[in-house]
Amino acid sequence: MFISFEGTEGVGKTTLIRKLHDYYIEQGKEVVLTREPGGTPLAEQIRSLLLSVNHDEKMNSDTELLLMYAARAQHLQQVIMPALNAGKIVLCDRFVDSSYAYQCAGRGLSKQKLKLLNEHFVEKMPDVTFWLDAPIELGMNRARERGALDRFEQEKVSFFEKVRSGFAEIYRIEPDRMRRLDATQTPEKVFEDALGCLK
Ligand code: Z5A
């Protein structure tokens, strides 16, 4: 079982993943909790490059997309596929839908580029994807209480509105895989709704 978690910043993905992780562990299941970009030492280095605000030049959107997929290729081969092949449950904080929402809907890159990368480098799509949806300001306020902002977090509200529409578009096209959760609710209710979708 491969489950991914998506949404704009601060919507509670990490909070929900931890709850589901604890739930499965209590049931005696083997679970791998991981994230993108990142999830392996090399992919985490690519993550640092992607989130850093300390570049002397603006990162090109194509560079951003390719770095996401470089990290993803490493992550799939080193962590996700071996875990799934060993019968483990994989809980992944963001996956390919983030590339669609951020790089295509947000940055304006063509869907064709993403399609090509997915065809060549993504051998397994999630069985279930939870889209935690909430108004942009709500997530931003939650996330900003943490302090210093990374390169994505410095984007304007209008960028995140486009990202949110990107997730909504995937949800319209793939309602069987992508399940929408109302992320304005308490963490306990979000968890309860997620469990309801999995049963
Ligand atoms: N990115 C991309 O562009 N393309 C790609 O292909 C991929 C990623 C894979 C890093 O991701 C950036 O990479 C991301 C998109 C880009 N940038 N942005 N924005 P990330 O997942 O590491 O970054 P993030 O979305 O900013 O994560 P986050 O801020 O940690 O959000 P979260 O995990 O959804 O939220 P949280 O940590 O669970 O909760 C945030 C706070 O709210 C925390 O204090 C909680 O205690 C609180 N919280 C959580 N749930 C609730 C509820 N229900 N009620 C009240 N308070 C809550």
Side-chain angles (χ1 to χ4, degrees), residues 10 12-15 47 68 72 94 99 102-103 146 185:
K13 299 181 305 302
T14 313
T15 306
R47 178 189 177 90
M68 290 293 174
R72 182 162 297 138
R94 297 193 180 281
S99 300
Y102 283 80
Q103 280 68 54
R146 283 185 308 218
Q185 308 176 103

Side-chain angles (χ1 to χ4, degrees), residues 6-16 18 35-37 47 50-51 64 68-69 72 93-100 102-103 107 132 138-139 142-143 145-146 150 152-153 159-160 183-188 190:
E6 300 282 5
T8 44
E9 65 162 332
V11 286
K13 299 181 305 302
T14 313
T15 306
L16 173 61
R18 290 204 185 114
R35 69 171 181 182
E36 290 213 344
R47 178 189 177 90
L50 277 161
L51 300 192
E64 186 176 276
M68 290 293 174
Y69 273 81
R72 182 162 297 138
D93 194 338
R94 297 193 180 281
F95 196 59
V96 291
D97 299 309
S98 278
S99 300
Y100 179 74
Y102 283 80
Q103 280 68 54
R107 303 275 193 231
L132 284 85
L138 186 137
R142 283 184 194 163
E145 280 167 20
R146 283 185 308 218
D150 67 36
F152 286 95
E153 290 167 345
F159 172 78
F160 290 110
T184 64
Q185 308 176 103
T186 61
E188 291 70 29
V190 175

Side-chain angles (χ1 to χ4, degrees), residues 6-185:
E6 300 282 5
T8 44
E9 65 162 332
V11 286
K13 299 181 305 302
T14 313
T15 306
L16 173 61
I17 291 173
R18 290 204 185 114
K19 283 183 182 293
L20 271 176
H21 176 264
D22 295 349
Y23 169 81
Y24 281 128
I25 292 289
E26 267 175 36
Q27 291 202 330
K29 303 259 167 62
E30 285 197 278
V31 199
V32 172
L33 197 164
T34 188
R35 69 171 181 182
E36 290 213 344
T40 83
L42 187 54
E44 288 290 328
Q45 285 188 43
I46 300 174
R47 178 189 177 90
S48 305
L49 206 56
L50 277 161
L51 300 192
S52 172
V53 288
N54 302 322
H55 298 302
D56 293 335
E57 60 191 285
K58 187 177 180 298
M59 188 179 290
N60 179 285
S61 299
D62 283 330
T63 307
E64 186 176 276
L65 177 72
L66 292 170
L67 283 173
M68 290 293 174
Y69 273 81
R72 182 162 297 138
Q74 190 71 14
H75 187 214
L76 267 166
Q77 284 165 30
Q78 298 295 317
V79 176
I80 298 179
M81 293 315 295
L84 292 175
N85 290 337
K88 296 178 186 171
I89 297 169
V90 175
L91 305 178
C92 189
D93 194 338
R94 297 193 180 281
F95 196 59
V96 291
D97 299 309
S98 278
S99 300
Y100 179 74
Y102 283 80
Q103 280 68 54
C104 294
R107 303 275 193 231
L109 294 183
S110 80
K111 293 178 190 173
Q112 273 310 106
K113 286 183 180 170
L114 197 83
K115 193 165 170 264
L116 198 75
L117 288 164
N118 285 340
E119 274 168 13
H120 289 278
F121 303 109
V122 179
E123 55 201 294
K124 176 82 178 107
M125 281 295 284
D127 299 298
V128 177
T129 296
F130 286 116
W131 170 35
L132 284 85
D133 187 34
I136 300 302
E137 279 85 358
L138 186 137
M140 268 185 157
N141 292 339
R142 283 184 194 163
R144 264 135 228 242
E145 280 167 20
R146 283 185 308 218
L149 303 180
D150 67 36
R151 202 172 57 82
F152 286 95
E153 290 167 345
Q154 291 189 350
E155 290 291 342
K156 296 192 190 107
V157 173
S158 58
F159 172 78
F160 290 110
E161 293 291 2
K162 287 191 239 169
V163 172
R164 189 180 179 198
S165 337
F167 286 124
E169 199 181 325
I170 304 169
Y171 176 60
R172 269 196 302 277
I173 298 167
E174 290 188 74
D176 288 340
R177 174 176 66 87
M178 189 176 256
R179 310 292 169 86
R180 180 183 173 278
L181 298 175
D182 177 358
T184 64
Q185 308 176 103

